[in-house]
Amino acid sequence: MKDSIHQRHIRVAISYFAMAALLGVLLRFYPIFSFGFNYRYMVHAHSHIALLGWVYVALTTLIHYCFVEKGTSDKKYTRIFWFTQVSLVGMLLTFPFQGYALFSIFFSTLFLIMSYVFFHYFSRNSDPKFRHGNSLRCIRAALWYMVISSLGPWALGIIMGTLGAQSIWYRLAIYFYLHFQYNGWMLLALIGLFLFAMERRDMVIPKKSFMWFFWILNAGVVLTFFLSTLWIEPSPLLYVLAGIGAIAQGSGLVLLWAMAKNDIKVLPLSKLQALLMKTAVFLVFIKIALQLLTALPYFARIATMYLDLTIGYLHMTFLGMISIGLFFLVDYFGLFVISKKAYQWYFWGFLVTEILIFYKGFAAWAQWPIFKGYMEILALVSLSILCGLLLLMALNRNRT
């Protein structure tokens, strides 16, 4: 398979990211101009296209590019890719107008089925020469977490039909899905792809050391799910398990960084690639620090009471750690050029919106006033993210 196919697929993924950013801008301007759309429905479209259009398509493209032998089952991969696009476009055209209803549920279900098909396809077609590599072990674990996370959406239908959308189990099913997407599937996939870049340069972490990291991290991934249950103020045992999970996940990532940091210096990185990687790693550890804090009952209550703090955390994880990590990988593997100018537009939009969102949450907690023009400034700054993504697309449009 020609590498240009993977380049086109990454451009498709970036296009979804730009569409999600456009929907995000519309949501920011909603309270200012009182647009006629249903706000909740648009949030569904925004989140689905961001997670499943941008991140899923980018990760599966990178995984196929790195781990599947070129020329192997090309037609199968192409069919999987385009059926997945049918499901994504279907969600984009239905969620804004009906929310969770017949057609949007149909396309969401089709997407889940195609993700299972990709999982099976990859299990059968990954290149045998990577079979014993540390990177492939991470990718396989990531794909398993992707499958496990899908239990949340399947459970939603049952919960809505029996207990109703107001049940705590409804929110827990959503949090289950998001947790194993962010902390399992996406995080392990990014780590696996990074380790692949190292292995391609013959920089391999010793198997025994790697296995310590791998099992500690996975224990952390499983146990940190209990952080998503603390809003119901459960028994002290769940606080303990959540805290152990946060410590384990943080310890695993620190261990990985300690093992890899010297070899990273040997990677042939441009200045921008080095900046992207360091920024993603920095945000990983900010995320871990916030998880450790929210394992404590007092901070867990604060995070539950003030929604903007949770939104800021989720946006930091998605727009920061995951998306900037993906920018690094697509640029490093030569599938998409991340220009400095476009990235600056994106990053400053991300940074300032994060500051504003967290400020609103802290202001509610500390009973500070929200300054005049807050919503207008937040909406205008959000345009910077969209402009950065559109500029990235424009600069890559003639690339083959």
Side-chain angles (χ1 to χ4, degrees):
M1 181 177 289
K2 295 181 180 179
D3 291 347
S4 60
I5 292 178
H6 295 97
Q7 292 168 357
R8 288 198 294 269
H9 290 181
I10 292 297
R11 287 200 291 271
V12 170
I14 294 284
S15 299
Y16 283 126
F17 197 5
M19 179 58 67
L22 174 61
L23 296 177
V25 167
L26 291 175
L27 290 168
R28 294 287 185 217
F29 278 101
Y30 181 85
I32 302 170
F33 295 113
S34 300
F35 292 127
F37 60 77
N38 183 299
Y39 185 88
R40 186 179 177 187
Y41 293 174
M42 196 65 76
V43 169
H44 290 324
H46 168 70
S47 59
H48 280 75
I49 296 305
L51 286 175
L52 309 181
W54 158 231
V55 179
Y56 176 87
V57 173
L59 282 177
T60 52
T61 300
L62 282 163
I63 288 169
H64 185 270
Y65 173 78
C66 293
F67 292 97
V68 176
E69 187 176 3
K70 305 301 180 285
T72 302
S73 305
D74 292 357
K75 291 183 179 179
K76 288 182 181 179
Y77 169 70
T78 302
R79 284 198 295 269
I80 292 169
F81 179 84
W82 288 114
F83 272 110
T84 301
Q85 305 321 300
V86 169
S87 70
L88 289 165
V89 173
M91 284 187 274
L92 181 59
L93 295 177
T94 54
F95 269 117
F97 306 105
Q98 61 174 203
Y100 278 103
L102 176 63
F103 292 109
S104 59
I105 291 173
F106 169 79
F107 287 114
S108 301
T109 303
L110 176 61
F111 177 87
L112 289 177
I113 292 170
M114 294 315 301
S115 70
Y116 298 157
V117 173
F118 179 83
F119 173 84
H120 179 263
Y121 164 83
F122 182 78
S123 300
R124 297 286 299 271
N125 292 283
S126 56
D127 197 325
K129 69 183 178 183
F130 303 121
R131 185 172 300 160
H132 302 294
N134 297 333
S135 58
L136 184 57
R137 188 180 293 272
C138 287
I139 295 298
R140 285 173 173 165
L143 289 168
W144 272 111
Y145 283 126
M146 180 190 73
V147 172
I148 291 168
S149 73
S150 69
L151 296 176
W154 290 120
L156 281 177
I158 299 172
I159 293 168
M160 290 183 69
T162 55
L163 302 174
Q166 302 306 313
S167 166
I168 63 169
W169 294 102
Y170 180 86
R171 285 178 64 184
L172 285 172
I174 294 173
Y175 292 159
F176 180 92
Y177 172 74
L178 289 175
H179 172 77
F180 285 104
Q181 282 277 310
Y182 282 125
N183 293 292
W185 153 232
M186 296 176 188
L187 179 61
L188 265 293
L190 289 173
I191 291 171
L193 290 163
F194 170 71
L195 291 176
F196 176 84
M198 290 181 60
E199 290 169 0
R200 198 164 71 165
R201 306 285 299 185
D202 296 323
M203 294 177 283
V204 181
I205 296 171
K207 183 64 69 175
K208 186 176 180 180
S209 299
F210 171 81
M211 294 308 295
W212 270 104
F213 147 75
F214 185 77
W215 290 114
I216 291 172
L217 181 67
N218 279 279
V221 169
V222 173
L223 291 176
T224 48
F225 168 67
F226 293 112
L227 289 170
S228 301
T229 70
L230 300 183
W231 59 275
I232 62 175
E233 298 187 5
S235 69
L237 176 61
L238 294 192
Y239 284 93
V240 172
L241 292 175
I244 293 172
I247 292 169
Q249 192 175 46
S251 299
L253 292 168
V254 168
L255 180 60
L256 175 64
W257 182 252
M259 293 185 296
K261 64 180 181 180
N262 290 329
D263 287 335
I264 291 172
K265 297 174 183 177
V266 185
L267 285 176
L269 303 180
S270 67
K271 288 183 178 180
L272 180 59
Q273 288 169 356
L275 176 64
L276 291 169
M277 184 190 67
K278 290 175 182 177
T279 303
V281 171
F282 175 76
L283 291 170
V284 167
F285 287 109
I286 293 293
K287 177 181 182 296
I288 294 300
L290 292 176
Q291 287 182 172
L292 286 167
L293 276 179
T294 53
L296 302 173
Y298 175 73
F299 291 103
R301 284 194 296 272
I302 290 177
T304 301
M305 291 173 62
Y306 304 108
L307 182 60
D308 286 285
L309 297 178
T310 300
I311 293 173
Y313 168 79
L314 290 175
H315 280 197
M316 184 198 72
T317 302
F318 172 72
L319 293 173
M321 179 190 82
I322 294 168
S323 293
I324 294 175
L326 280 170
F327 286 165
F328 163 70
L329 289 167
V330 298
D331 190 87
Y332 178 81
F333 288 117
L335 300 182
F336 195 88
V337 175
I338 305 298
S339 74
K340 182 178 179 180
K341 185 176 181 180
Y343 175 68
Q344 286 174 338
W345 276 92
Y346 175 88
F347 179 77
W348 288 112
F350 157 71
L351 181 62
V352 177
T353 54
E354 281 295 289
I355 292 170
L356 291 170
I357 293 169
F358 275 111
Y359 168 79
K360 188 180 177 185
F362 283 119
W365 168 68
Q367 298 184 333
W368 298 337
I370 299 297
F371 57 83
K372 186 178 179 180
Y374 171 87
M375 294 305 299
E376 289 82 358
I377 294 172
L378 180 60
L380 288 171
V381 173
S382 298
L383 283 169
S384 180
I385 296 174
L386 176 60
C387 289
L389 294 172
L390 292 176
L391 183 56
L392 280 176
M393 292 171 60
L395 294 173
N396 282 269
R397 69 183 183 276
N398 295 321
R399 191 163 181 260
T400 57

